[in-house]
Amino acid sequence: MIIRPATKIDIPFIVDAIINIERTGNTDTFSNLFGTDEVTTRYYLEQFLLDDESLNTEFSLNTYSIVEIDGENAGCCCLFYTDSEYYQNKSELFPIHLKKEHLQKFVENAKALPDTKQYSTHKYFLEYLYVDDKFRGKGVSKVILEYLFAKTDVLYLIPLVNNTFAIDYYRRFGFVEDENIKTFPIDTLENKIYPGTHKIMLYKRNEKVN
């Protein structure tokens, strides 16, 4: 088992990971946001990741790591830091790549969603931790998490409150709830985008010996 930085050849695997994680029923979060079908959404995600000027967001290739087992992609994960550069890069990405009608839909939906910057600014976030079904039960997630902990003192993640499987897993790995934040809204009942309306902030401090 090896872990390495992602390259362009890994983009289809990463897009599969994102879609699978964001899927709910017969749709997914980004198709809801963009007003697209899954084929179009996959195309957009690929374009985001192919953009060499897109850096340091969850849509940027440089933030992803890949785990390989016997030469096959077994899992992936994204690590990014939410400073002002992060928000600037992310805001520029959608107008560049989305067609006019999908950009308009995205802007309409984004305006209706709660502003979460107060909860998420200036933190290292783990996002899109994914293990291919073929390689589950082989310790891939543990390898990824240990690798990412070597890069930062505190690692945050924000799973949906109703994703109890993920929350329980991360708690077993040592993540705890941020007592100052608890849960926060990321959706509204009037404009349903996500498969849940709230997220929970979990974090873990690096326990390495100095």
Side-chain angles (χ1 to χ4, degrees):
M1 187 184 301
I2 65 168
I3 188 165
R4 59 171 176 78
T7 66
K8 289 184 177 180
I9 198 171
D10 302 309
I11 288 177
F13 183 80
I14 293 171
V15 170
D16 280 344
I18 294 173
I19 290 292
N20 276 294
I21 290 170
E22 295 286 352
R23 191 187 304 281
T24 173
N26 60 356
T27 186
D28 63 88
T29 299
F30 291 114
S31 294
N32 294 339
L33 275 169
F34 302 151
T36 53
D37 57 28
E38 186 176 313
V39 172
T40 305
T41 297
R42 285 178 177 274
Y43 170 78
Y44 282 141
L45 292 173
E46 288 174 357
Q47 297 311 300
F48 296 162
L49 291 162
L50 282 168
D51 188 339
D52 291 329
E53 296 183 7
S54 169
L55 298 172
N56 305 324
T57 78
E58 62 268 43
F59 305 115
S60 308
L61 191 60
N62 73 302
T63 63
Y64 281 85
S65 300
I66 299 289
V67 173
E68 283 187 9
I69 296 179
D70 296 332
E72 290 187 66
N73 285 357
C76 66
C77 194
C78 174
L79 177 68
F80 57 92
Y81 184 69
T82 54
D83 57 6
S84 58
E85 182 180 342
Y86 164 83
Y87 291 109
Q88 179 67 30
N89 290 345
K90 193 171 178 180
S91 67
E92 292 175 350
L93 191 63
F94 303 117
I96 292 173
H97 294 286
L98 297 181
K99 293 182 179 179
K100 184 177 179 180
E101 64 270 26
H102 300 142
L103 178 60
Q104 182 177 352
K105 184 67 174 179
F106 168 73
V107 170
E108 290 173 359
N109 283 326
K111 284 181 178 178
L113 297 177
D115 185 357
T116 62
K117 284 185 181 180
Q118 61 179 310
Y119 308 109
S120 57
T121 301
H122 301 304
K123 293 178 174 68
Y124 277 99
F125 276 99
L126 174 161
E127 187 71 273
Y128 296 126
L129 173 55
Y130 174 78
V131 179
D132 186 270
D133 288 343
K134 179 179 176 181
F135 297 100
R136 293 187 184 276
K138 298 182 181 294
V140 175
S141 293
K142 186 174 185 291
V143 168
I144 292 174
L145 289 170
E146 290 176 344
Y147 176 78
L148 296 182
F149 277 128
K151 297 177 176 292
T152 179
D153 292 331
V154 186
L155 189 58
Y156 287 84
L157 54 92
I158 46 173
L160 289 162
V161 171
N162 61 348
N163 190 354
T164 55
F165 176 84
I167 292 171
D168 288 345
Y169 172 80
Y170 289 121
R171 281 178 170 158
R172 289 197 301 272
F173 199 83
F175 282 85
V176 296
E177 184 176 338
D178 190 321
E179 293 295 329
N180 296 317
I181 297 175
K182 300 290 185 179
T183 65
F184 59 92
I186 45 84
D187 206 343
T188 63
L189 293 175
E190 296 78 16
N191 187 35
K192 202 81 174 70
I193 298 296
Y194 295 90
T197 60
H198 284 71
K199 287 192 173 185
I200 184 172
M201 181 82 74
L202 302 177
Y203 74 95
K204 182 179 178 181
R205 296 192 181 278
N206 194 329
E207 298 173 352
K208 65 183 179 183
V209 177
N210 294 323

